[in-house]
Amino acid sequence: MTTRAEVFTTAGELADALASGAPVTLLDVRWRLDRPDGREDYRAGHLPGAVYVDLDRALSDHSVTGRGRHPLPDGAALQRDLRSWGVRDGVPVVIYDDWNRAGSSRAWWVLTAAGLRDVRILDGGLAAWRESGGRLDSGDTTPTPGDVTVTRPDLYSGARGVVTAEELADIVADGTLVDVRAPERYRGEDEPVDPVAGHIPGAVNVPATALLDESGRFRPDEEVLARYPGSDPSSPEPLAVYCGSGVTAAIAVAALTAAGREASLFPGSWSQWSGDASNPVEVGEPSATDA
């Protein structure tokens, strides 16, 4: 069973590792729905030695059609990018962002699905590093090329659980399907991105932001599990999550994995489901687990 320490690291733990001279590869994945390109923010100030990662370009493959707004990247292309960022076999990777842990969780999901093992999210993100007194560098970082090998070239059948659109009905029948978007999007009252509003029939709503505290850190494991029906780590029932396009749902996968409960991701999420006019859509009926 995966432990919290295998998914997250704290600013203090990271500072101690860097001070000891231990090799660590730092990836800065700044991304937000209304401003997907975070490179200028990265250049203004980033953790020492961190390399900027463009989520839309490197952690998605927009040449793929029919799989939503952020299709999973190709393993060979991902390996080239990982090596260009200086990622090396046997060297830990720590990923951070500056917005709701979305960018870092997506990167954690993609890298671990590709077979990388020692990958952690900086709990609390950039703000936690600043609060701890950590210094920042400006400009770009040019790393020494890495040598990492992606062992799972097809992330749709990689090292992390994935469900297809065709499998969602079985998830609803036998387990739990969770929509992690904001409640108003789940209910179909507001849809700022996709052309159809609502949610996948049978899904319950547990917003990903409810998994973070006021400081942007992940809530304790027991609080995370308490928010999810069927989230007992020993439960054999399937648990799957989705969001708008497969990015913020990775926050839930990370939180649940840290708490010992494996959850599968529907990568295409609402953008894929709503893009097929033959798929049914539900509106209203918010879940009692809304937070």
Side-chain angles (χ1 to χ4, degrees), residues 152-167:
R152 305 297 288 267
D154 181 2
L155 272 61
Y156 286 97
S157 58
R160 302 225 73 90
V162 168
V163 294
T164 66
E166 294 74 23
E167 294 169 330

Side-chain angles (χ1 to χ4, degrees), residues 59-168:
L59 301 180
S60 309
D61 184 355
H62 296 289
S63 69
V64 176
T65 60
R67 285 184 160 176
R69 283 183 279 110
H70 288 103
L72 299 178
D74 169 74
L78 177 64
Q79 178 173 284
R80 290 194 297 271
D81 284 328
L82 288 167
R83 291 180 175 184
S84 74
W85 304 331
V87 179
R88 290 161 284 166
D89 283 326
V91 175
V93 176
V94 174
I95 311 166
Y96 70 93
D97 62 61
D98 64 351
W99 184 70
N100 287 345
R101 309 299 72 81
S104 56
S105 295
R106 168 73 173 203
W108 169 85
W109 193 98
V110 166
L111 269 59
T112 56
L116 278 68
R117 294 183 178 275
D118 199 347
V119 183
R120 290 174 178 80
I121 296 166
L122 176 59
D123 198 10
L126 182 63
W129 179 256
R130 285 173 165 157
E131 290 167 9
S132 74
R135 72 179 181 88
L136 299 177
D137 286 349
S138 59
D140 289 309
T141 297
T142 303
T144 301
D147 62 0
V148 72
T149 299
V150 166
T151 60
R152 305 297 288 267
D154 181 2
L155 272 61
Y156 286 97
S157 58
R160 302 225 73 90
V162 168
V163 294
T164 66
E166 294 74 23
E167 294 169 330
L168 293 178

